[in-house]
Amino acid sequence: MFTATALSGTKPAQYAQLLAQARALLHGEHDRIANAANLAALVYNALPDLNWVGFYFFDGRELVVGPFQGLPACVRIPLDRGVCGAAARMRATQRVDDVHAFPGHIACDAASASELVVPLLRGEELIGVFDLDSPVPARFDAEDQRGLEAIARAYVESLR
Ligand code: SME
């Protein structure tokens, strides 16, 4: 049985602990749904000020919602829409301090104020995105981005 211990220390130290917990959780399992579900639950419960954490998978045409924690979300996101679409299209992390100022932002939960979306890439292949929403404006800084990109990489590495 996996037990997550509370994170402590500086933010980089906390992300190192969270990454170690993520790796322990994913160890020996390659199923993309199982690993996405457990990672969403781990991150949602470990980090403060989040109202949505989850995965969208690319089906070859658009993004389709996968395992998540938070309120029910839009099911399909075309690549030309929203913060998630931008991350997938540009294959670059989108860190948005104020989602209401982001053109085309899709408000799944009206409480969301800031958002971080990390693309999931295996070589050239787009697998999907890892999406985090916060009710706090500018919730995510560069350290959060680095830490969550490392967790997204651990997820991609866990797949077969
Ligand atoms: N806000 C996202 C949509 C997904 S939800 O936040 C869960 C976007 O603009 O892409």
Side-chain angles (χ1 to χ4, degrees):
M1 169 71 189
F2 175 86
T3 315
T5 42
L7 307 179
S8 62
T10 63
K11 204 187 262 195
Q14 293 191 25
Y15 274 111
Q17 293 155 31
L18 188 58
L19 180 61
Q21 292 181 8
R23 290 215 169 104
L25 199 51
L26 303 179
H27 182 74
E29 181 54 65
H30 305 300
D31 186 87
R32 78 172 190 170
I33 302 292
N35 285 349
N38 261 337
L39 262 194
L42 176 74
V43 173
Y44 186 80
N45 287 288
L47 300 180
D49 299 325
L50 300 176
N51 60 318
W52 203 91
V53 175
F55 290 75
Y56 277 88
F57 295 121
F58 184 56
D59 72 354
R61 209 169 69 89
E62 53 194 2
L63 297 168
V64 184
V65 76
F68 66 91
Q69 301 273 312
L71 290 181
C74 11
V75 175
R76 290 177 180 271
I77 301 180
L79 293 203
D80 61 356
R81 296 248 5 246
V83 186
C84 290
R89 192 174 69 249
M90 295 188 240
R91 295 169 174 246
T93 298
Q94 304 294 305
R95 179 153 53 91
V96 179
D97 287 346
D98 174 8
V99 293
H100 303 294
F102 189 93
H105 165 251
I106 303 163
C108 290
D109 180 347
S112 298
S114 60
E115 182 160 2
L116 182 82
V117 186
V118 182
L120 302 170
L121 298 164
R122 187 164 44 188
E124 292 294 294
E125 182 199 358
L126 176 67
I127 296 169
V129 301
F130 180 42
D131 180 20
L132 300 96
D133 286 30
S134 172
V136 177
R139 156 70 179 80
F140 306 100
D141 64 14
E143 288 178 346
D144 294 298
Q145 178 173 343
R146 266 194 296 281
L148 292 159
E149 284 173 342
I151 286 170
R153 271 197 303 278
Y155 172 73
V156 172
E157 285 162 11
S158 77
L159 307 179
R160 279 274 165 84

